[in-house]
Amino acid sequence: MQFVTVARFPAHVYHQNDAVKAKAQGVKKHFEELAMDEGLLPESNVMISEGDTEVHVAISEYFDTFLREAPGSWRYY
């Protein structure tokens, strides 16, 4: 399954700064709650990927497409 990055952080900052790590976890939690609101499994649709130089918070390609195409004014906050 392909994933789309919604937030990224330099790996060295993520590992050394608790505030940055908390921010990444907050972004992940936000998208997990959004996934649950739409009836999707958070563990299948939201992830944190740690690489050598960057840490990415990502959502599944399906979830990304859903969020882009879903009706409603909530997309413009």
Side-chain angles (χ1 to χ4, degrees), residues 32-49:
E32 287 173 337
E33 290 172 352
L34 209 75
M36 286 191 302
D37 288 348
E38 299 305 327
L40 300 172
L41 293 172
E43 57 273 6
S44 300
N45 290 282
V46 184
M47 65 179 277
I48 289 185
S49 172

Side-chain angles (χ1 to χ4, degrees), residues 1 31 47 53 62:
M1 180 181 298
F31 279 98
M47 65 179 277
T53 59
Y62 172 81

